[in-house]
């Protein structure tokens, strides 16, 4: 199975998957310093960590290039590019997308990105949400900005026809 992480930083999630037996892994990260640290710390991933913009990397991939695509905390900072990035993630995924991203259930006048419906966006690209879980803040693993709720979502691609 081929797996892509969008916004992989140093590649620690991919290294975990590699240690669990997954072999066909790729990650894309805009930070050259993060990719350099990842290549130094995880030499088996050196050629699998791509240092380029997410939009350009996804644009270079074929439709259905990866069985699974995931993102952990990257999309919350994507701003007005988020819809396009999600559409590209949907295009390059063959089977499923996993998102661990903060969300807000109510409009925040100080935050023009929220509320945001990952479900609505990905369902418009042929995926259906099969799991949506709120994660207790003390289990999130990173600080959460006020007004946001940590969430995990799994989407599967619907077969055409």
């Amino acid at each position: 199975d081929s797996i892509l992480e969008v916004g992989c930083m140093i590649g620690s999630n991919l290294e975990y998957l590699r240690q669990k037996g997954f072999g066909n892994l790729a990650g894309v990260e805009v930070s050259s310093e993060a990719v350099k640290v990842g290549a130094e710390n995880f030499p088996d991933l050196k050629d699998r960590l791509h240092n380029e913009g997410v939009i350009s990397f996804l644009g270079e991939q074929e439709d259905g290039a990866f069985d699974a695509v995931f993102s952990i905390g990257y999309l919350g900072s994507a701003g007005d590019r988020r819809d396009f990035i999600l559409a590209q993630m949907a295009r390059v995924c063959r089977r499923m997308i996993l998102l661990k991203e903060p969300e807000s259930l109510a409009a925040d006048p100080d935050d023009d990105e929220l509320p945001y419906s990952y479900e609505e966006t990905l369902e418009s690209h042929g995926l259906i949400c099969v799991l949506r879980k709120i994660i207790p803040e003390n289990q999130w693993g990173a600080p959460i900005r006020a007004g946001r709720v940590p969430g995990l979502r799994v989407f599967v691609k619907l077969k055409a026809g």
Side-chain angles (χ1 to χ4, degrees), residues 16-37:
Y16 174 83
L17 292 171
R18 189 193 68 75
Q19 290 177 8
K20 294 296 181 185
F22 293 93
N24 194 357
L25 303 168
V28 58
E29 173 57 47
V30 69
S31 168
S32 58
E33 184 61 29
V35 171
K36 179 182 174 192
V37 169

Side-chain angles (χ1 to χ4, degrees), residues 65-155:
F66 300 95
D67 291 300
V69 178
F70 74 99
S71 175
I72 298 176
Y74 170 77
L75 292 168
S77 64
D80 61 357
R81 301 168 304 146
R82 182 171 31 202
D83 282 351
F84 184 76
I85 292 169
L86 283 166
Q88 290 299 301
M89 289 171 67
R91 183 185 63 76
V92 303
C93 116
R94 188 170 24 255
R95 297 192 327 207
M96 68 182 318
I97 293 177
L98 182 138
L99 301 176
K100 182 183 174 196
E101 300 286 343
E103 66 178 293
S104 175
L105 303 178
D108 178 351
D110 297 324
D111 190 347
D112 61 354
E113 294 180 25
L114 299 170
Y116 187 82
S117 173
Y118 291 96
E119 287 85 350
E120 183 177 312
T121 302
L122 287 173
E123 285 176 6
S124 73
H125 293 286
L127 289 104
I128 186 167
C129 186
V130 295
L131 174 70
R132 182 173 182 264
K133 180 177 180 173
I134 301 300
I135 301 169
E137 191 167 344
N138 64 347
Q139 295 176 14
W140 182 251
I144 299 293
R145 200 164 101 197
R148 292 193 179 194
V149 177
L152 172 70
R153 292 168 208 77
V154 176
F155 297 86

